[in-house]
Amino acid sequence: MKTIIIILMLLTSIECYSQAGFGQSTANAGDINGDGFEDLIVGAPFAGIKQSGAAYVYFGTATGFNLIPNWRAESNMTDSRFGYSVAGLGDINNDGFADIGIGAIWYADGKSYEGGVFIYLGSALGLGINGDLFNSDFKFKGNFQYAQFGYSIAGAGDVNKDNYDDVIIGAPVLSKAYLYYGSANGLTLQRTFTGQSNSNFGYCVSTAGDVNKDSCSDIIIGANRFDNPDGYIDEGSAFVWLGSRSGILSNSHNWQMPSFGNWFSYFGASAISTGDVNNDGYGDVAIGGYGYSTDIREVGAVFVYMGSATGLSNVSKWSYKGNQTDERMGRSLSFTDFNRDGFSDLLIGSSESDDQQINEGVVIVNYGSIDGLSNIFNSTIQNNFSYSYFGTAIAGIQGKVAIGSPLYGSNGGAFVKTANNISLGILTQ
C-alpha cells in the first residue's frame, strides 16, 4: 500500500501547474564556456506541448547573468516533465569545461514514467545548438515502470580522485540511486545503492563535499519517507558514503542522520553540501525536513552537521525551525559564499511561508564565519507575491543567488539577488 501512495505522491507532488513552472529547479551550472564566469540553469518542467518541459541556460557575466537565455533545451514529448531536475555536473570528461544534466522524470522509452537524464557537455562555444531528447551527449533511463529515474540529479564531485567528476542520479520510487564515474569518454555506471523499501531513497542526491578532508569527494542520499526502526513513520533520513582513491566500494553507508523521534518530518527531502561554514577544510552538511512539527504543524526544520577527520558528527551543530503552520522550512537549501568573505553561507528556502502575502515564500540567509553559523538569521529575501512559492529552488553562484518561484506571474520566474538584496533581474520563460 505504501508503494502505491509513494507513486501517487511523486506523480502529483509537482502540482499540476497550468503554468510552465519556470524556476521549479535551479542550479549552478559551473563555467560551461570557460570564460571565467559561472553559469545558471533553470528548469521549467511544465513548459511546451502538454507539459513536455524545458530548461534554460544563462551565461554569467561580470554584473550578473544574461537576461535572455544563451541556450535552451526542450523535450517535445508529452508529459515528460523535462527540467524537473537540473544540475551542474562539474567536468565529467576533464576537458576544462563544465557539463550539465537535465532530468525528465516522466520520460518514457519502453516503460511508462520510467524517467530519463540527459547530459550535455560544455565547450568553448557553450553547449552548441539548442538541445532536445536526441542531441544530448549522453542519455540514461530508468528501465522500470514508474521509476521516475532522474527525480534528482547532482554532480558528485571526484569521489575516486581520478580528475574526472562523477554523477549521482536518484530513482525514489525504486528506492535506488546510481553513481556514475566520469572519464575521457563520458560516464559509466559504477554502483547502485538501494535503500529501505518504499522510503523514497534517492529523493534527493548531492555531493557532500569532502567531510573528512581526504581529498576525495563524498556523497549524500536522502530518503524522505524512511521509517525509523523505533516506529517513527516517514521521519526521513539521509545517508553519507565516503569517497576514496579506490572509489566507493561498499553499499553500506558511513554515516546516517540521527533520529529525532518525529513522525512525518520527511528529512532527506533536501540534503546538500559543498559548504565549509567555518573554513576549516572539512565539508559540512545541511539536511532539511519540511514536514517537521513542533507544537505547530509542519513548520519544517534544517539541521547542520560538521565535518571532521573522522567524518560527520552525530550531533547537529546548528538547527533552524520554522514558526508558522505549514511553513515547511527546508524545502530547498544551498551552501554558497554569498557575501564573498571566504566562508560558506547557508540559504534556506521556505516556499510556503506567509509574511505580507499568503504562500509568497522566503529565503533565509545565515552567514558562515570562523565560528561557523549563528543562531540568528542575518537576513531574509522575499518577492512579496502571493502564492508564488518563492524559494522552491535556490542556486548560489559567485556572490549571487537565483531563487526559483515557479508560480510567479504567468509562467514562473527566477529572481537573481546579491547579498545586499539588490535585484539583478527576474528571469522568466
Side-chain angles (χ1 to χ4, degrees), residues 139-210:
K139 180 186 80 171
F140 304 97
K141 61 178 186 173
N143 295 318
F144 292 93
Q145 189 176 26
Y146 299 113
Q148 294 193 57
F149 178 88
Y151 196 91
S152 58
I153 176 174
D158 185 2
V159 301
N160 59 346
K161 199 62 177 176
D162 64 353
N163 297 318
Y164 296 95
D165 286 327
D166 309 313
V167 173
I168 185 166
I169 299 171
V173 170
L174 303 178
S175 284
K176 292 183 182 295
Y178 304 84
L179 177 64
Y180 296 80
Y181 279 177
S183 72
N185 298 316
L187 295 170
T188 303
L189 180 63
Q190 191 271 341
R191 185 164 294 279
T192 300
F193 303 96
T194 302
Q196 181 189 80
S197 179
N198 302 325
S199 68
N200 269 5
F201 180 85
Y203 189 92
C204 180
V205 297
S206 177
T207 177
D210 184 5

Side-chain angles (χ1 to χ4, degrees), residues 189-276:
L189 180 63
Q190 191 271 341
R191 185 164 294 279
T192 300
F193 303 96
T194 302
Q196 181 189 80
S197 179
N198 302 325
S199 68
N200 269 5
F201 180 85
Y203 189 92
C204 180
V205 297
S206 177
T207 177
D210 184 5
V211 300
N212 59 346
K213 203 164 66 173
D214 65 351
S215 77
C216 298
S217 295
D218 310 313
I219 63 170
I220 184 166
I221 302 172
N224 72 322
R225 300 204 68 187
F226 179 85
D227 294 339
N228 183 280
D230 292 331
Y232 297 104
I233 297 171
D234 289 349
E235 180 178 27
S237 194
F239 306 83
V240 169
W241 281 261
L242 300 179
S244 73
R245 292 183 182 273
S246 300
I248 295 176
L249 302 178
S250 173
N251 289 332
S252 299
H253 55 269
N254 299 98
W255 181 89
Q256 179 182 354
M257 181 184 184
S259 170
F260 291 93
N262 196 296
W263 293 49
F264 304 108
S265 292
Y266 303 119
F267 281 109
S270 49
I272 54 94
S273 176
T274 54
D276 183 1

Side-chain angles (χ1 to χ4, degrees), residues 210-376:
D210 184 5
V211 300
N212 59 346
K213 203 164 66 173
D214 65 351
S215 77
C216 298
S217 295
D218 310 313
I219 63 170
I220 184 166
I221 302 172
N224 72 322
R225 300 204 68 187
F226 179 85
D227 294 339
N228 183 280
D230 292 331
Y232 297 104
I233 297 171
D234 289 349
E235 180 178 27
S237 194
F239 306 83
V240 169
W241 281 261
L242 300 179
S244 73
R245 292 183 182 273
S246 300
I248 295 176
L249 302 178
S250 173
N251 289 332
S252 299
H253 55 269
N254 299 98
W255 181 89
Q256 179 182 354
M257 181 184 184
S259 170
F260 291 93
N262 196 296
W263 293 49
F264 304 108
S265 292
Y266 303 119
F267 281 109
S270 49
I272 54 94
S273 176
T274 54
D276 183 1
V277 298
N278 59 351
N279 201 19
D280 64 354
Y282 295 98
D284 307 315
V285 166
I287 300 171
Y290 61 78
Y292 184 90
S293 297
T294 56
D295 54 342
I296 305 173
R297 185 188 70 229
E298 294 191 20
V299 294
V302 175
F303 291 83
V304 180
Y305 298 87
M306 304 294 289
S308 71
T310 56
L312 289 174
S313 168
N314 285 321
V315 178
S316 65
K317 182 71 173 178
W318 297 278
S319 64
Y320 308 97
K321 300 170 185 176
N323 56 18
Q324 299 175 10
T325 300
D326 297 331
E327 179 179 350
R328 299 186 174 95
M329 174 184 280
R331 177 72 77 174
S332 60
L333 299 169
S334 179
F335 271 132
T336 185
D337 185 4
F338 196 25
N339 59 354
R340 307 303 292 271
D341 65 352
F343 297 93
S344 296
D345 309 313
L346 177 62
L347 280 67
I348 303 172
S350 296
S351 60
E352 294 166 58
S353 176
D354 303 333
D355 186 15
Q356 300 178 41
Q357 306 290 337
I358 298 173
N359 284 355
E360 61 174 300
V362 65
V363 171
I364 298 163
V365 180
N366 197 320
Y367 292 137
S369 71
I370 192 67
D371 297 315
L373 301 170
S374 69
N375 292 317
I376 301 174

Side-chain angles (χ1 to χ4, degrees), residues 398-413:
Q398 290 182 318
K400 304 175 289 293
V401 63
I403 302 170
S405 185
L407 287 180
Y408 166 78
S410 59
N411 283 305

